[in-house]
Amino acid sequence: MTKPADKPANKPGYRPLESLPTTTDLADFKVGVDTVIFSVDTEQNRLLVLLVMRHEKPYSGYWSLPGTLVRVGESLEAAADRALTEKIRVNNLYLEQLFTFGGPDRDPREAEDAYNIRYLSVSYFALVRYEDTALIADGVRGIAWYPLSQVPKLAFDHNQILTYGCKRLRSKLEYSPVAFDVLPETFTLSDVYQLYATVLGEDFSDYSNFRTRLLKLGILEDTKVKTSRGAGRPASLYRFDAEAFQPLKDKPMVFL
Amino acid sequence: MTKPADKPANKPGYRPLESLPTTTDLADFKVGVDTVIFSVDTEQNRLLVLLVMRHEKPYSGYWSLPGTLVRVGESLEAAADRALTEKIRVNNLYLEQLFTFGGPDRDPREAEDAYNIRYLSVSYFALVRYEDTALIADGVRGIAWYPLSQVPKLAFDHNQILTYGCKRLRSKLEYSPVAFDVLPETFTLSDVYQLYATVLGEDFSDYSNFRTRLLKLGILEDTKVKTSRGAGRPASLYRFDAEAFQPLKDKPMVFL
DNA sequence: GCAACTTATGGTTAATATAACCATAAGTAC
DNA sequence: GTACTTATGGTTATATTAACCATAAGTTGC
């Protein structure tokens, strides 16, 4: 796997074991950040993931999670943010660390590299408002919102990372009010229910019971504005009341 | 901070910006794993963390979380396991990833290093049975179980990592049966209650109600053996029934 | 305009779970 | 034996949950 010919030989990293000084059998890493960005299209009622098309090796021609390699002096969060803002313009953003994948052989570049540099990926989990978000088309690379059900085979181990992201989305939805980070500024109670139903499965709760539980929490403000989307009785538009939520911050809340 | 004199100069990493090729402004990393290992002493009813004394720079003379740097060809989990089994001999082990700390300036070695190598730490969360565990005394380094309340100022950002570990311990205890990974093979219902009370706070639940809830789950097997520790009526010893728990695995369980 | 349909809203009710107790059993300490 | 200590097994009022149902207020088709 190693081809030490055309590159300087006095680098740290892998060498034949007999010549290994004790300190240099430590692995050398490049660190990448990859972000699972979720959003929801309330019009069409679809859960979306942001993917970017790769045009460079390895995995050229594959879709992948937006990511980048960490630069000198840059924090992990800053790198995640940079990779994100290169691709979308976003107002509201929820971002938290997901998982770190760092095993050997997770990146084909490791095998091709003469010095056995390893690639570790710190993955992040992000939620954005579909309506507040604009994709940055740079003409070169494809960027697209994919419905979660239609995501293809991705580059690297990104399908695995996405699976972790989905798990996290579910538990976050059950135990915290992140729903209001993905939903538009004002929304109907049905919108909230539809989001929960699509993520948690159809049979998670009766709509009527969900409504009463949600309203009893006292964290939604009724704007009194009525909306009428297609058929049916017009619904009230609600707004998330962050101040009313403050005292509930540490208490366990379950929407199931 | 950089002292490039006595080391080879053709390494990747930081160089003056003007001479930076675009690809080499990527940061170079060493990756460490640090593990927060919890245990509980049911005799004295104390929650314990395993700490090791450092005898090398940096932070020589400070207590720290057991950890090591990842070697060539080694997975993160394998490194965590190696660091652990060097210090304790353990039968039962619960291990999961905690958080990744990777910002610049988190390790003093970064500033002293001529090539600006950064140190990233993937932290792990572990639970072991105090009774099944033997500390490996190698004569050189100190290893000790510290009661959580008496943990001193640790090396690096390990106090911060420990804080993350405590949070994780609390949520794990509330939502999963990890308690039975720290408790001895057989235990009384009081033992379980004491563990929950010390981790979650005194006022988390009435003992009697806790008992009934716990028994109703049907995941504990009564060994019928009675124990008598000091005064009071002898208590039944119970055993965790892993098979009975299987069907409940994905269901939310709350002990609050 | 009117019947049929669709979605929103605001209930009811039985079953279940929770919180705050209390009574008694079965050992040890003196 | 009496006092104390811990374990065990209740009871009861209250709150929560799940499964419905009735009506309101719009749109659609004719």
Side-chain angles (χ1 to χ4, degrees):
Chain A
M1 296 303 148
T2 51
K3 35 171 190 173
D6 50 359
K7 289 207 179 181
N10 50 355
K11 280 189 52 176
Y14 180 76
R15 304 178 202 187
L17 266 171
E18 12 345 318
S19 70
L20 261 181
T22 49
T23 54
T24 55
D25 64 342
L26 298 179
D28 286 292
F29 286 88
K30 300 289 183 187
V31 173
V33 291
D34 296 296
T35 309
V36 182
I37 309 174
F38 286 113
S39 195
V40 64
D41 176 4
T42 43
E43 307 285 314
Q44 301 198 52
N45 209 55
R46 298 183 308 174
L47 190 65
L48 305 168
V49 196
L50 190 70
L51 298 180
V52 299
M53 171 59 78
R54 285 184 66 86
H55 293 298
E56 61 274 0
K57 293 208 308 180
Y59 288 102
S60 184
Y62 280 79
W63 290 94
S64 70
L65 297 174
T68 189
L69 290 167
V70 176
R71 295 184 182 164
V72 169
E74 188 179 48
S75 74
L76 300 178
E77 288 78 14
D81 207 64
R82 176 167 55 80
L84 216 138
T85 50
E86 271 171 10
K87 280 130 202 165
I88 57 174
R89 221 177 298 281
V90 61
N91 291 322
N92 201 290
L93 174 67
Y94 178 89
L95 186 71
E96 72 171 36
Q97 206 185 90
L98 190 55
F99 199 82
T100 297
F101 298 86
D105 309 321
R106 60 168 294 278
D107 192 314
R109 284 172 291 190
E110 292 174 12
E112 285 167 21
D113 189 276
Y115 314 106
N116 251 17
I117 299 261
R118 274 169 63 179
Y119 287 82
L120 176 143
S121 162
V122 181
S123 57
Y124 281 81
F125 168 86
L127 297 175
V128 300
R129 289 212 177 106
Y130 186 62
E131 289 77 7
D132 294 3
T133 307
L135 301 190
I136 297 171
D138 61 355
V140 180
R141 64 196 311 145
I143 309 173
W145 287 112
Y146 261 81
L148 194 57
S149 52
Q150 293 165 35
V151 169
K153 165 93 180 73
L154 303 175
F156 306 103
D157 49 3
H158 286 190
N159 287 95
Q160 195 188 350
I161 298 179
L162 180 57
T163 302
Y164 267 76
C166 291
K167 271 192 212 162
R168 179 70 60 94
L169 178 61
R170 252 173 275 141
S171 60
K172 275 281 145 186
L173 218 52
E174 288 182 87
Y175 301 119
S176 76
V178 282
F180 311 112
D181 284 303
V182 236
L183 288 168
E185 188 67 29
T186 64
F187 47 83
T188 71
L189 296 179
S190 284
D191 288 338
V192 188
Y193 180 72
Q194 294 297 342
L195 172 57
Y196 273 83
T198 47
V199 175
L200 263 44
E202 283 302 321
D203 55 333
F204 91 103
S205 173
D206 181 86
Y207 174 44
S208 188
N209 292 331
F210 179 82
R211 272 174 50 88
T212 43
R213 259 203 308 277
L214 189 52
L215 288 176
K216 197 165 41 171
L217 288 173
I219 58 177
L220 296 187
E221 178 197 349
D222 191 345
T223 65
K224 306 287 183 184
V225 181
K226 303 287 173 186
T227 184
S228 127
R229 299 202 275 253
R233 175 176 173 173
S236 255
L237 285 173
Y238 286 82
R239 173 181 289 116
F240 177 64
D241 185 349
E243 278 193 33
F245 176 69
Q246 276 301 324
L248 303 173
K249 211 158 199 169
D250 300 311
K251 305 203 169 151
M253 72 187 312
V254 184
F255 284 123
L256 207 98
Chain B
M1 292 303 145
T2 51
K3 37 172 189 173
D6 51 358
K7 290 206 182 182
N10 50 356
K11 278 189 52 175
Y14 181 76
R15 303 179 203 187
L17 266 171
E18 355 12 299
S19 69
L20 262 182
T22 48
T23 52
T24 54
D25 63 343
L26 298 179
D28 286 293
F29 286 87
K30 300 287 185 190
V31 172
V33 291
D34 297 295
T35 309
V36 181
I37 309 174
F38 286 113
S39 194
V40 65
D41 176 4
T42 44
E43 307 286 314
Q44 301 198 50
N45 208 56
R46 298 183 308 174
L47 191 65
L48 305 168
V49 197
L50 190 70
L51 298 181
V52 300
M53 170 60 77
R54 283 183 68 85
H55 293 298
E56 61 274 2
K57 295 209 306 180
Y59 288 102
S60 183
Y62 279 79
W63 290 95
S64 71
L65 297 174
T68 189
L69 290 168
V70 177
R71 294 185 182 162
V72 168
E74 188 179 48
S75 74
L76 301 178
E77 288 77 15
D81 207 63
R82 177 168 54 80
L84 216 137
T85 50
E86 271 172 11
K87 280 131 203 166
I88 58 175
R89 222 177 300 281
V90 61
N91 292 322
N92 201 290
L93 174 68
Y94 177 90
L95 185 72
E96 72 171 37
Q97 206 185 89
L98 190 56
F99 199 82
T100 297
F101 298 86
D105 309 322
R106 60 167 294 279
D107 191 314
R109 284 173 291 191
E110 293 174 10
E112 284 167 21
D113 191 276
Y115 314 105
N116 251 17
I117 301 262
R118 274 168 64 179
Y119 287 82
L120 176 141
S121 163
V122 182
S123 57
Y124 282 81
F125 168 86
L127 297 175
V128 299
R129 289 211 178 109
Y130 186 62
E131 290 77 6
D132 292 4
T133 307
L135 301 189
I136 298 172
D138 61 355
V140 180
R141 62 196 314 147
I143 308 172
W145 287 111
Y146 261 81
L148 194 57
S149 51
Q150 293 165 35
V151 168
K153 164 92 182 71
L154 302 175
F156 307 104
D157 48 3
H158 286 190
N159 288 96
Q160 195 189 350
I161 298 178
L162 179 56
T163 303
Y164 267 76
C166 291
K167 270 192 213 164
R168 179 68 61 92
L169 177 61
R170 250 171 278 141
S171 60
K172 275 280 145 186
L173 218 52
E174 287 182 87
Y175 301 119
S176 76
V178 282
F180 311 112
D181 285 302
V182 238
L183 288 169
E185 188 67 28
T186 63
F187 46 84
T188 70
L189 296 180
S190 284
D191 289 339
V192 188
Y193 179 71
Q194 293 299 341
L195 171 58
Y196 273 83
T198 47
V199 175
L200 264 43
E202 284 302 320
D203 54 333
F204 91 102
S205 173
D206 181 85
Y207 174 45
S208 187
N209 292 331
F210 179 81
R211 270 175 50 90
T212 42
R213 258 204 309 276
L214 189 52
L215 288 175
K216 197 165 41 170
L217 288 172
I219 57 177
L220 296 187
E221 179 198 349
D222 191 346
T223 65
K224 305 286 184 185
V225 181
K226 304 288 173 186
T227 184
S228 126
R229 298 201 275 255
R233 173 175 175 173
S236 256
L237 284 173
Y238 287 82
R239 174 182 288 115
F240 177 63
D241 184 349
E243 279 193 32
F245 176 69
Q246 277 299 326
L248 303 173
K249 210 158 199 168
D250 300 312
K251 302 203 170 152
M253 72 187 313
V254 185
F255 284 123
L256 208 99

